[in-house]
Amino acid sequence: MDDGKPSGPRTKWWSRPSTDRDRPAGPEEDGAAATGVADASGTAPAGPGGTAGTTAGERLPHTTPDGDYTPAPPVAAPPPAADLGTPAPAEPAPPAAEPHVHRTQPLHAPDEYSTPPYGGPGPWAPAPPVQRPVATPAHGTPVPPPYAGTDGHGTAAPPVAAAPAQGGQEHHTDPWPPPHTVPQQHPVPQPPGQIPQQTSQWMRYDPWGAPRQPLSHPGPGQGVDDVRPRKARRGTVLVGAALLALLAGGIGGGVGAYVERNGGLTTVELPQSGRDAGGRAPDSVAGIAASALPGVVTLHVNGSAESGTGTGFVLDDRGHILTNNHVVAPAGSNGDITVTFSGGESAAAEIVGKDSGYDLAVVKVTGVSGLTPLPLGNSDNVRVGDPVVAIGAPFDLSNTVTSGIISAKERPITAGGEKGDGTDVSYVDALQTDAPINPGNSGGPLVDAEARVIGINSAIRAADSGSGLDGGQSGSIGLGFAIPINQGKRVAEELISTGKATHPVIGVTLDMEFTGDGAKVGGKAAGGASAVTEGGPADEAGIRSGDIITEVEGQRVHSGEELIVKIRAHRPGDRLGLVLTRGGKELSMTLTLGSASGT
């Protein structure tokens, strides 16, 4: 059915301009475009390229120097004729001399087969649908002021030549955009005598350009600053940010206060190593303490006039405990003595024997089982620098363990003498140690690296009162003294067996006021008797009054106290070698020690 459509080839919306259109229009084309007059059959004269002229209502494209084209303004079509369905063939126009113009290379090579989308539709393809664009107003579509005369993005658009109106008819812009618009680098020159015409939004639309302002929402383009709204929005954002910061600060402060007061939101568990088996090397301090502590006890003594605290250690499984004489002395003859074991058990004890000259005593507990006696070592084997451990109850702190070394051996010390008659003076050939010993450690064991007892802690050198027993309250300054266990063992055995201890003697009375080097034998004894006991060891060896003893068993003697200490370090019956001076001459002699009962 013929509905008035022209049957000649027409430019489709997807096609690109052919090579014949990539040149300036000739005189005939310009005339046709300008006048829009068709021949009697309703067709315009054919162009120089042999193409059919446009029908009524169609337009010829205007080719730009860059190779693109813009549609010419449409011309009002005449009323339809009876047989407009078949236009008359266009007569070829005489060739005109074409000026040499640089043609832009098309995006695609010409398609000789005219296959879509670059050519006309083939015989197998259906004809494109009929396009009936709505005519725009007489003077074009109004454009917002910011985009007037631009390409839709704020860039000035090149002016488009408009044909002058003829016959009182107005020319309208084509509402359909070209298929592809290449941005022009140079403005298109306008032919003289042509008036620029306001273009529509579609003429300035570039689908490949950067998006600016949608044509459906005309208004100020992007890039046009509107100061007041932006400031208002910025102020709103700042106020919101400030409120958010205040809210976050308040929440953070509350959480921090809660964490500080309650110790956190969750329970904190710090990394920690697991429990070990508890074993320690036997010769370490921990190993020594673990072995010796069960045999150490704490003594609490209460008498009629005074009380005190000291330490002792178990000698055997019968309940005998060795300690210092000055520890049990406050009990007197009718005081109370309580023994507390390392495990916390307590038992009453009684005095078995004591000796003030050696400052040793033995007490006994009854009705107690499971006792742990401490093994006894040999003090003669001790060497200076050997490690030692002291165990006791300093200031009534039971089971206190300290460690150190042997600082010196055979250190002569004297302690006691509160009575003033010399009967309570102790003479000790002591082991010196730097293991901390304090009041309350007296009577406790000093053990070696094998947890064997080598001494009985008895005295300390106080910073304020010199040497003495630990009856004072001065603390340790690293000068502690212990009775050698060899002497303690002998005295303990005698105290357990007879309740008394024997002292080795040489049978002389010493001049304790002599200030020279050595121990001087006195002139007269108490009551006017001779200073040398008749029939005694010294008398039998040939010692006389006024002799000065300077050596005992090869060791120098500087005072009378040192001579007593050296003699008491031996047993009765031992033979001693002595060196003395008499009338300026040095003499050597040997004697056998006698025995005397202690107090």
Side-chain angles (χ1 to χ4, degrees):
M1 177 179 180
D2 188 0
D3 58 356
K5 294 185 294 182
S7 60
R10 299 178 62 186
T11 303
K12 305 302 183 296
W13 63 275
W14 59 75
S15 65
R16 295 291 295 173
S18 62
T19 55
D20 291 340
R21 295 177 181 177
D22 294 339
R23 59 181 177 80
E28 294 82 2
E29 295 175 347
D30 290 343
T35 60
V37 178
D39 58 5
S41 62
T43 61
T51 59
T54 59
T55 61
E58 290 188 318
R59 57 171 175 80
L60 291 178
H62 176 72
T63 305
T64 65
D66 293 334
D68 289 335
Y69 66 93
T70 57
V75 180
D83 56 351
L84 294 178
T86 306
E91 296 180 2
E98 296 180 2
H100 180 71
V101 179
H102 175 72
R103 296 181 175 86
T104 302
Q105 183 68 24
L107 295 179
H108 301 279
D111 185 5
E112 56 183 346
Y113 298 102
S114 297
T115 58
Y118 302 105
W124 60 84
V130 177
Q131 304 294 330
R132 293 187 177 87
V134 178
T136 60
H139 298 286
T141 302
V143 179
Y147 289 95
T150 64
D151 59 355
H153 302 291
T155 305
V160 180
Q166 292 184 1
Q169 298 179 353
E170 296 180 354
H171 296 275
H172 303 282
T173 56
D174 190 352
W176 298 101
H180 181 68
T181 303
V182 178
Q184 298 183 5
Q185 303 297 330
H186 304 285
V188 178
Q190 296 293 336
Q194 293 187 357
I195 301 174
Q197 169 181 318
Q198 183 179 10
T199 58
S200 67
Q201 300 179 56
W202 299 105
M203 298 288 293
R204 296 190 304 272
Y205 174 69
D206 183 4
W208 309 107
R212 287 296 185 95
Q213 179 72 24
L215 293 175
S216 60
H217 300 283
Q222 298 182 7
V224 179
D225 295 335
D226 191 353
V227 178
R228 297 179 193 175
R230 183 167 303 223
K231 284 186 176 180
R233 289 194 300 271
R234 184 177 303 172
T236 303
V237 171
L238 292 178
V239 171
L243 293 177
L244 181 60
L246 290 176
L247 180 60
I251 295 175
V255 173
Y258 178 85
V259 170
E260 181 180 1
R261 294 176 182 176
N262 299 278
L265 300 176
T266 59
T267 302
V268 177
E269 294 186 4
L270 301 177
Q272 184 183 24
S273 60
R275 296 177 61 90
D276 57 13
R280 296 293 185 271
D283 58 347
S284 65
V285 174
I288 296 169
S291 177
L293 274 172
V296 181
V297 299
T298 301
L299 286 82
H300 295 91
V301 181
N302 295 308
S304 58
E306 56 182 337
S307 62
T309 302
T311 309
F313 58 93
V314 179
L315 290 174
D316 54 31
D317 54 4
R318 293 183 297 172
H320 291 104
I321 297 171
L322 181 62
T323 184
N324 283 133
N325 177 66
H326 72 266
V327 171
V328 299
S333 59
N334 56 2
D336 296 330
I337 301 175
T338 303
V339 175
T340 303
F341 295 89
S342 61
E345 302 86 357
S346 296
E350 60 182 9
I351 297 176
V352 175
K354 60 181 181 179
D355 187 277
S356 61
Y358 290 114
D359 193 24
L360 292 173
V362 174
V363 300
K364 183 180 180 179
V365 294
T366 57
V368 179
S369 61
L371 298 177
T372 306
L374 292 185
L376 305 181
N378 191 331
S379 55
D380 290 340
N381 298 333
V382 175
R383 296 294 179 267
V384 175
D386 285 348
V388 291
V389 173
I391 304 175
F395 300 100
D396 203 15
L397 299 174
S398 302
N399 302 326
T400 297
V401 177
T402 58
S403 64
I405 62 170
I406 295 296
S407 303
K409 292 179 61 177
E410 300 175 350
R411 185 75 74 189
I413 64 170
T414 59
E418 285 82 4
K419 293 183 179 180
D421 56 2
T423 57
D424 62 339
V425 177
S426 299
Y427 300 92
V428 180
D429 193 20
L431 298 172
Q432 180 181 332
T433 179
D434 66 346
I437 296 174
N438 294 283
N441 276 104
S442 293
L446 183 70
V447 300
D448 61 9
E450 298 182 16
R452 300 175 300 190
V453 180
I454 60 172
I456 302 101
N457 301 318
S458 301
I460 62 173
R461 175 77 182 204
D464 56 350
S465 61
S467 62
L469 298 179
D470 62 352
Q473 292 299 309
S474 297
S476 172
I477 59 173
L479 295 174
F481 302 96
I483 300 172
I485 193 59
N486 289 4
Q487 183 177 348
K489 176 180 178 294
R490 180 183 68 83
V491 174
E493 289 171 348
E494 291 180 350
L495 293 176
I496 293 171
S497 301
T498 64
K500 291 183 179 294
T502 60
H503 298 174
V505 294
I506 61 174
V508 297
T509 300
L510 299 177
D511 183 3
M512 303 304 291
E513 296 180 357
F514 177 70
T515 58
D517 189 29
K520 185 179 181 179
V521 179
K524 293 292 182 178
S530 173
V532 178
T533 305
E534 185 178 354
D539 186 28
E540 293 179 359
I543 298 176
R544 302 176 184 178
S545 296
D547 290 348
I548 301 173
I549 301 173
T550 57
E551 290 185 12
V552 176
E553 289 292 310
Q555 296 180 349
R556 289 290 299 181
V557 174
H558 302 284
S559 65
E561 289 84 358
E562 286 193 24
L563 179 61
I564 297 173
V565 169
K566 297 299 181 184
I567 291 174
R568 287 191 178 181
H570 294 81
R571 293 173 179 269
D574 290 346
R575 294 178 62 86
L576 297 179
L578 303 176
V579 175
L580 54 85
T581 60
R582 180 186 297 165
K585 293 182 180 179
E586 189 174 275
L587 301 175
S588 297
M589 58 186 63
T590 303
L591 59 79
T592 301
L593 295 176
S595 178
S597 178
T599 57

